[in-house]
């Protein structure tokens, strides 16, 4: 099991997920450990895995929630 190099907290038990992004290589996750260390991880896509994202799923930042206009 991989652990935080600073405090030994298990990396698989991220204390706080700061953000996740789809990339051409896989999913990039920025997480914060219990000790405050920020870590960046890339989880590659599996063989034959198809990933898609629709621009309509997430409104732009600052946009009002749907149905409130």
């Amino acid at each position: 099991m991989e652990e935080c190099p600073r405090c030994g907290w298990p990396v698989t038990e991220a204390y706080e997920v700061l953000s996740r992004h789809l990339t051409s290589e896989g999913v990039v996750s920025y997480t914060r450990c219990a000790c405050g260390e920020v870590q960046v991880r890339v989880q590659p896509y599996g063989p034959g895995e198809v990933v898609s994202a629709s621009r309509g799923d997430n409104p732009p930042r600052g946009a009002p929630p749907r149905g409130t206009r």
Side-chain angles (χ1 to χ4, degrees):
M1 179 184 317
E2 194 174 350
E3 297 176 343
C4 172
R6 188 170 167 192
C7 71
W9 184 275
V11 171
T12 56
E13 297 179 29
Y15 183 74
E16 179 182 14
V17 176
L18 302 173
S19 65
R20 282 199 176 107
H21 308 278
L22 295 177
T23 69
S24 60
E25 298 296 318
V27 179
V28 177
S29 299
Y30 293 82
T31 60
R32 185 181 316 277
C33 180
C35 69
E37 181 83 5
V38 175
Q39 300 174 350
V40 180
R41 302 270 180 234
V42 177
Q43 181 178 357
Y45 297 125
E49 189 173 350
V50 177
V51 179
S52 65
S54 170
R55 294 191 61 103
D57 289 344
N58 296 312
R61 281 192 181 178
R66 290 186 186 166
T68 61
R69 291 186 181 179

